[in-house]
């Protein structure tokens, strides 16, 4: 969902941890090996050498000297990286002064389209409710105004 993000801002370790946790909850905005390779201007093999992976441990602990991928639930899952982690690695380890990682919008999914339709419907409802000026908001008052209806 992010677009054109400029990375490399100075974050405290607590902010980095919070950001990593938020990124693990939503996979949007994560980048793969190919994008990391382009951002760092390094070979694919170099990117794999930089990456903090361990065949015995699916999610090794954070290593400040390595490029740390996002958490994976299966060994077969592709390595995905948060753009700020790539920028941190480039700045702190590779000593690259300026790193720009661009995250493009992902194509709209059926879920996003459905949520957009729901949001639009809620806006219409809200608009109609806002136009009910002077009308009672309490349903019991409105029922009393219309008179008693026979019970079914």
């Amino acid at each position: 969902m992010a677009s054109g993000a400029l990375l490399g801002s100075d974050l405290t370790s607590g902010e980095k941890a919070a950001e990593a946790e938020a990124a693990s909850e939503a996979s949007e905005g994560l980048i793969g090996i190919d994008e990391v390779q382009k951002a760092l201007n390094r070979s694919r093999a170099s990117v794999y050498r930089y990456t903090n992976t361990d065949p015995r441990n699916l999610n090794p602990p954070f290593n400040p000297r390595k490029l740390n991928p996002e958490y994976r639930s299966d060994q077969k899952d592709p390595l995905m990286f948060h753009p700020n982690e790539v920028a941190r690695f480039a700045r702190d380890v590779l000593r690259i002064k300026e790193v720009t990682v661009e995250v493009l919008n992902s194509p709209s999914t059926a879920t996003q389209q459905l949520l957009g339709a729901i949001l639009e419907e809620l806006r219409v409802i809200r608009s109609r409710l806002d136009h009910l000026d002077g009308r009672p908001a309490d349903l019991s008052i409105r029922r009393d105004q219309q008179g008693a209806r026979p019970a079914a």
Side-chain angles (χ1 to χ4, degrees), residues 85-144:
E85 172 60 16
V86 176
R88 179 210 60 86
F89 178 77
R91 184 184 63 243
D92 298 348
V93 178
L94 299 179
R95 304 284 190 236
I96 298 174
K97 298 236 187 265
E98 291 184 30
V99 177
T100 302
V101 178
E102 186 174 343
V103 180
L104 302 175
N105 289 332
S106 61
S108 182
T109 64
T111 303
Q112 289 170 330
Q113 292 172 353
L114 178 62
L115 289 173
I118 292 170
L119 178 61
E120 184 60 33
E121 184 69 22
L122 288 172
R123 286 182 178 148
V124 169
I125 292 169
R126 179 64 182 192
S127 172
R128 289 183 180 169
L129 288 174
D130 288 344
H131 286 76
L132 293 176
D133 296 331
R135 296 187 183 170
D138 187 4
L139 293 178
S140 62
I141 295 172
R142 186 172 179 138
R143 186 177 19 184
D144 292 342

Side-chain angles (χ1 to χ4, degrees), residues 34-47:
D34 293 332
E35 291 86 3
V36 173
Q37 177 185 347
K38 290 174 188 171
L40 299 178
N41 196 23
R42 298 291 197 274
S43 70
R44 190 177 186 90
S46 293
V47 172

Side-chain angles (χ1 to χ4, degrees), residues 32-34 36-37 40 42-54 66-67 72 77-81 89:
I33 290 287
D34 293 332
V36 173
Q37 177 185 347
L40 299 178
R42 298 291 197 274
S43 70
R44 190 177 186 90
S46 293
V47 172
Y48 278 112
R49 277 195 305 271
Y50 299 148
T51 302
N52 182 18
T53 58
D54 182 356
K66 295 276 194 169
L67 180 59
R72 299 184 295 166
D77 290 345
L79 291 173
M80 299 299 287
F81 302 88
F89 178 77

